[in-house]
Amino acid sequence: VVIQEEIPGGIDRLYTLGIYAGRDGCIKAAWTARKLAQVPADFGDALIVEALPKPDLVSLGERLVRSLGFDGIADIEFKQDPRDGEYKLLDINPRPWPWIGFPTVCGVNIPYAAYCDLTGLEVPVFHQTADRLHWVSVRGVLVSIVRSLREERPLHELLGLLRHLRRVRFGSLFNREDF
């Protein structure tokens, strides 16, 4: 039996922390972002993600990793509760996620940190250099557009999703500079 509380607030309060934690309990590489769109809208997979440095999430993640004795690659999701401003843990995905290449574009190479640590090489110090850079799931957005049109959802929902696409810099399949 799992008992959970639904945290109020919109998608703009969903944050992600991508990490590699070593066997010593220390986070060797960390990257943070905010979800801008997901499908399904309330509890779903990322469609659009914005890199956003949040050092407080890294500290929270480090405490979590140490208390669990976790080591490895993980995507840890939080939601900031509007009632008290605290970040509440939603889930921990202890595996690479579909957009794991995005942190690398932002200066944090999580898979390389894991490789170095596991092979005995010195793990470089990574710094999240990109701020407000966007990643998009092209397949996910296309599916969402088709569903919106088929289900005759309000036009403002579709336009809100499309508005985010203007600022995309990194995509799951292609980049607009590819053309």
Side-chain angles (χ1 to χ4, degrees):
V1 175
V2 175
I3 299 174
Q4 295 178 305
E5 174 186 10
E6 186 173 338
I7 307 301
I11 193 168
D12 60 320
R13 295 183 166 276
L14 291 175
Y15 294 89
T16 188
L17 168 64
I19 63 158
Y20 170 70
R23 287 175 274 189
D24 61 1
C26 294
I27 291 180
K28 310 285 186 182
W31 169 85
T32 56
R34 179 174 61 146
K35 283 186 177 178
L36 298 178
Q38 65 182 3
V39 64
D42 292 329
F43 307 100
D45 295 327
L47 287 181
I48 301 172
V49 178
E50 175 183 55
L52 187 65
K54 300 288 285 178
D56 46 344
L57 283 183
V58 177
S59 298
L60 190 58
E62 188 133 71
R63 285 195 351 244
L64 180 65
V65 162
R66 284 178 192 247
S67 68
L68 294 174
F70 176 81
D71 64 275
I73 290 175
D75 175 36
I76 305 171
E77 293 191 25
F78 298 92
K79 188 167 186 180
Q80 189 176 32
D81 193 329
R83 298 169 293 190
D84 59 12
E86 296 289 320
Y87 293 102
K88 307 291 172 77
L89 176 66
L90 295 182
D91 63 19
I92 302 171
N93 297 302
R95 57 170 168 67
W97 54 97
W99 35 284
I100 194 166
F102 188 33
T104 302
V105 172
C106 299
V108 181
N109 192 330
I110 293 170
Y112 185 65
Y115 171 81
C116 289
D117 190 48
L118 294 170
T119 58
L121 299 173
E122 184 176 339
V123 178
V125 175
F126 295 104
H127 299 285
Q128 186 167 342
T129 55
D131 184 12
R132 307 289 180 176
L133 190 64
H134 292 89
W135 171 89
V136 65
S137 167
V138 176
R139 180 198 59 80
V141 169
L142 291 174
V143 167
S144 292
I145 290 169
V146 170
R147 283 184 182 160
S148 291
L149 295 172
R150 188 178 62 215
E151 296 170 8
E152 298 179 7
R153 292 187 190 145
L155 185 59
H156 69 86
E157 287 180 20
L158 181 59
L159 293 175
L161 179 62
L162 294 175
R163 198 170 15 259
H164 288 300
L165 296 179
R166 291 182 302 174
R167 300 186 318 182
V168 170
R169 298 286 184 264
F170 180 76
S172 60
L173 298 177
F174 63 86
N175 188 308
R176 69 177 170 211
E177 276 114 35
D178 291 344
F179 299 101

